[in-house]
Amino acid sequence: MTTFAQRLWSSTLARHLLLAGLGLVAVALVLESTSAFRNGQFAVMAYMGIAAGGLTVLTGLNGQLSLGHGAFMAIGAYTTALLLSDRDGAPPLLVALLVATVVTLVIGAGVGVAAARLHGPYIAGATLALAIAVPGIARYFQDTLGGEQGLTVVVPDIPGWFADTAYFITANDVSTSKYVAYVGWISLIVTYVLLANLSRSRVGRTWRAVRDNDVAAEIAGINLGRARVLAFVVSTACAGLAGAVLALAVRLAAPSGFMLTLSLALLSAVVLGGLGSLTGALIGAALLTFLPQVVTGVGLDAGLSDLQAAELAPLVYGLTTILVVILAPAGIVGTARIAWRRRRS
Amino acid sequence: MADRTVSAFRMSAISVNFGGIAALDDVSLEVAPNQVLGVIGPNGAGKTTLFNVACGFIQPDAGALTWRDRELRRLKPHQLAGLGIGRTLQGLGLFDRMTVLENVVVGADRHARAGFFAGMLGLRRSAREEHDLRERAMALLDELGAATYAGQLPPSLPYPVRKRVALARALVSEPDLLLLDEPAAGLSGDDMAELGELIKGLSQRMSVMLVEHHMDLVMSVCDHIVVLDFGKNIASGPPAQVKEDPAVLAAYLGDEVEHDRPATTRS
Ligand SMILES: Nc1ncnc2c1ncn2[C@@H]1O[C@H](COP(=O)(O)OP(=O)(O)O)[C@@H](O)[C@H]1O
Ligand SMILES: [Mg+2]
């Protein structure tokens, strides 16, 4: 006999919603018990997590490599900055986030159509070119995009209902940085629920089939081009939303924030966590956010200068990623899963 | 399906040239409903080419394909399944990082209706369909004796099992015409006999076109045989008749001294 709880758990949607609810509670507990500085870091983790979630779907589920996701984040961030620039005339924040997502998605669709016609190394090359070109474009449009300085982002006032609800539940007033962290994490949770649903649906199965054997997938009636473009679109939509949250968290959309290193960092987060796993993407985002601090701290303690210590973090990433690729190519979550299976059997 | 009784698959006057070499020269055949048609011939005769034309992987230089009394033009590989034509790949082409069950469910994709948003929002419609497709796939694995492997990944399975999985994936779409590319390759005697029985049983549900160079299998399961040599159709008819045909005997004797023949490829 199955209990109600078992039946609930066996429904994919109910399971994902339940996890989302628990996630939200955990987020509230963490954000309420940490400092404003940490809240800011959690906002960073949120946008990295959103972008990494989208990338892990593209690379892990559909086998397409993108070296240019930082560029799509830039599109989302600049769109948000432009939409919110006039405090009085700005649309509601939710609308701004959605518009930033849709604008990025449309551009992503264009790139995706081109990418679907290309093969592995050429897709990598094309997205790499994008990662390098987009900051240049932003620099070029001095008047609209603010050139090298970029655009400062006006975070809208915290809506009354949000402040009241938060006060009612937590008995704390909401600071702007905490508000942004909440917006980031709610965005992340919604994104992850949708991505998890997709991954368990016909769409996700189609993506994996195309990844594993495109000829066999085609024989089963799957339109390869459509499947690949769809994966690209979904993935860039996530990058756009991530860019919008970044704009709020950093309060700035500037070319220096979207250099190639951002795209590479995202890729390393996805590889570290385990390709195709949303949990892995989240772990990767956490490493990306908190590891630099730790590494820089260790470097300073060891007597390095500020500058040297700051340069240590990318080095540690690079090396860790290479080690993971060589020693545990399944990533953190994948390796844990394999070990778990072995113990059980 | 009502039209199953009247539908035949026809290849009419097909010619394919690979830069000067006539891989197929004016070949015609018809797979009648519920018939098992075998295509045989020595190495380099054009069997693989014929198969690839039948499933739209090669556009013929001349000739036409007709299916359900409609001409198939500029067929794209992904349109095949929707037309009720299934095929297997010689290299099996299983999805190595998906479970056996998932592999078979992909084969049923042409019966799936749930769209992108239903999947993303986890609508009940999508969940129920997933459940149905899994049951369907499971039933087929059961029928082919591979149900116990449902949760495993293909690379960990022995070759004959993987072969069944590939067959299950082609059958779960319930095609009206099944194209089999050398299904016996790599199978030993017992497995081959079992395969023969299986193919015979399939003809109650669909038409089958079988490209194969294992004579015994072809002779025992096919209703009708087409013999190719140097891209030409040198004989056709029921197994007993083809076996005695002097042209066929000559072609197969010629095959023994294969190094005397012009450049050929195995596949
Ligand atoms: N892609 C190709 N390019 C050039 N020649 C080919 C190609 N495929 C097959 N051929 C030639 O066409 C002829 C028929 O080949 P094929 O259809 O593979 O024969 P079979 O499958 O009966 O062994 C052979 O002479 C072969 O060399
Ligand atoms: Mg061949």
Side-chain angles (χ1 to χ4, degrees):
Chain A
M1 224 194 92
T2 54
T3 65
F4 177 70
Q6 274 172 329
R7 242 183 310 146
L8 202 65
W9 191 250
S10 73
S11 151
T12 307
L13 180 63
R15 193 168 62 237
H16 292 162
L17 288 180
L18 191 66
L19 287 173
L22 291 175
L24 195 59
V25 171
V27 165
L29 288 175
V30 169
L31 292 184
E32 293 305 330
S33 61
T34 51
S35 65
F37 171 71
R38 293 287 174 203
N39 282 182
Q41 282 190 317
F42 278 111
V44 173
M45 181 180 163
Y47 69 69
M48 282 305 208
I50 296 170
L55 189 58
T56 211
V57 164
L58 182 70
T59 306
L61 294 192
N62 194 42
Q64 287 181 270
L65 186 63
S66 168
L67 297 175
H69 260 44
F72 294 111
M73 288 178 73
I75 295 167
Y78 274 97
T79 308
T80 309
L82 290 172
L83 285 169
L84 298 179
S85 59
D86 169 17
R87 185 178 284 277
D88 300 319
L93 184 57
L94 180 63
V95 174
L97 293 178
L98 287 177
V99 171
T101 306
V102 170
V103 167
T104 313
L105 171 163
V106 168
I107 295 172
V111 177
V113 168
R117 296 171 173 276
L118 299 173
H119 293 280
Y122 298 102
I123 301 178
T127 49
L128 180 67
L130 203 68
I132 294 168
V134 164
I137 295 172
R139 265 187 211 108
Y140 181 78
F141 290 98
Q142 187 85 39
D143 295 337
T144 37
L145 301 181
E148 187 64 55
Q149 260 57 58
L151 301 172
T152 47
V153 177
V154 184
V155 178
D157 296 331
I158 302 168
W161 62 265
F162 185 89
D164 293 343
T165 315
Y167 186 83
F168 179 72
I169 297 175
T170 67
N172 280 325
D173 278 324
V174 185
S175 67
T176 303
S177 62
K178 191 182 281 180
Y179 173 58
V180 169
Y182 270 113
V183 169
W185 276 90
I186 291 170
S187 304
L188 181 138
I189 289 171
V190 171
T191 306
Y192 274 36
V193 167
L194 298 182
L195 290 179
N197 286 345
L198 269 183
S199 155
R200 296 293 303 264
S201 77
R202 177 186 178 199
V203 177
R205 184 174 57 245
T206 303
W207 285 340
R208 287 194 296 268
V210 171
R211 171 198 68 193
D212 281 2
N213 192 312
D214 51 359
V215 176
E218 210 169 19
I219 288 169
I222 293 167
N223 183 333
L224 297 183
R226 237 175 72 190
R228 291 198 173 118
V229 172
L230 191 61
F232 212 89
V233 167
V234 167
S235 179
T236 51
C238 295
L241 179 61
V245 174
L246 177 148
L248 297 173
V250 184
R251 319 249 164 106
L252 180 72
S256 59
F258 304 100
M259 305 304 283
L260 181 59
T261 43
L262 176 62
S263 298
L264 298 183
L266 282 175
L267 210 55
S268 72
V270 165
V271 172
L272 285 176
L275 279 178
S277 152
L278 288 174
T279 315
L282 198 58
I283 295 174
L287 289 176
L288 226 48
T289 311
F290 296 102
L291 203 63
Q293 280 248 312
V294 176
V295 172
T296 311
V298 169
L300 287 176
D301 289 345
L304 294 178
S305 73
D306 280 358
L307 203 65
Q308 287 168 326
E311 277 173 357
L312 208 54
L315 191 69
V316 170
Y317 271 144
L319 290 179
T320 320
T321 310
I322 291 170
L323 279 180
V324 166
V325 169
I326 293 170
L327 298 178
I332 294 170
V333 171
T335 307
R337 220 176 259 157
I338 292 167
W340 169 247
R341 239 185 244 149
R342 232 178 248 149
R343 276 195 53 178
R344 271 206 319 186
S345 65
Chain B
M1 260 165 260
D3 60 354
R4 183 174 290 187
T5 50
V6 295
S7 67
F9 180 69
R10 284 195 196 88
M11 305 181 77
S12 320
I14 302 285
S15 294
V16 174
N17 292 296
F18 288 118
I21 303 172
L24 288 177
D25 182 8
D26 195 26
V27 174
S28 300
L29 61 81
E30 177 176 322
V31 191
N34 300 81
Q35 188 183 50
V36 181
L37 178 107
V39 177
I40 60 171
N43 259 328
K47 302 183 295 294
T48 300
T49 308
L50 187 73
F51 190 88
N52 284 333
V53 170
C55 63
F57 276 34
I58 293 180
Q59 297 291 336
D61 296 311
L65 302 182
T66 323
W67 171 235
R68 292 176 178 154
D69 298 322
R70 275 197 6 233
E71 192 181 337
L72 302 178
R73 279 169 192 277
R74 304 243 139 247
L75 187 63
K76 298 208 185 76
H78 77 259
Q79 296 171 327
L80 211 64
L83 291 166
I85 303 178
R87 67 162 289 191
T88 57
L89 285 165
Q90 220 185 320
L92 300 190
L94 293 179
F95 308 117
D96 280 349
R97 286 189 278 164
M98 301 170 75
T99 64
V100 162
L101 183 63
E102 281 178 313
N103 265 272
V104 180
V105 174
V106 172
D109 197 70
R110 83 162 172 125
H111 297 290
R113 291 290 166 266
F116 175 79
F117 289 100
M120 184 169 76
L121 300 175
L123 297 188
R124 177 171 291 183
R125 176 151 50 89
S126 161
R128 197 179 298 145
E129 181 177 274
E130 285 299 298
H131 183 256
D132 289 349
L133 292 180
R134 277 168 185 273
E135 297 227 305
R136 219 161 154 156
M138 210 50 210
L140 219 90
L141 281 172
D142 203 28
E143 193 185 322
L144 296 193
T148 48
Y149 306 102
Q152 301 195 35
L153 298 179
S156 65
L157 300 174
Y159 187 73
V161 175
R162 276 186 283 151
K163 200 135 214 172
R164 283 166 201 233
V165 176
L167 201 56
R169 186 179 62 186
L171 290 177
V172 75
S173 76
E174 298 179 354
D176 296 325
L177 171 68
L178 180 66
L179 307 172
L180 295 173
D181 193 2
E182 306 216 352
L187 290 186
S188 62
D190 281 355
D191 287 320
M192 207 185 303
E194 236 173 87
L195 179 74
E197 287 310 307
L198 187 86
I199 294 175
K200 271 191 223 167
L202 290 180
S203 67
Q204 289 171 7
R205 296 189 263 170
M206 61 192 72
S207 313
V208 180
M209 178 171 140
L210 175 72
V211 170
E212 181 57 69
H213 59 224
H214 272 283
M215 273 302 198
D216 298 347
L217 181 71
V218 175
M219 291 296 165
S220 66
V221 307
C222 294
D223 306 310
H224 192 91
I225 292 175
V226 168
V227 189
L228 297 181
D229 191 27
F230 289 116
K232 287 199 173 62
N233 179 356
I234 57 165
S236 51
Q241 181 190 326
V242 162
K243 218 185 313 194
E244 305 299 329
D245 193 305
V248 176
L249 292 174
Y252 270 86
L253 279 176
D255 198 31
E256 310 274 279
V257 281
E258 190 156 352
H259 49 271
D260 289 346
R261 296 164 65 83
T264 56
T265 52
R266 275 185 67 96
S267 70

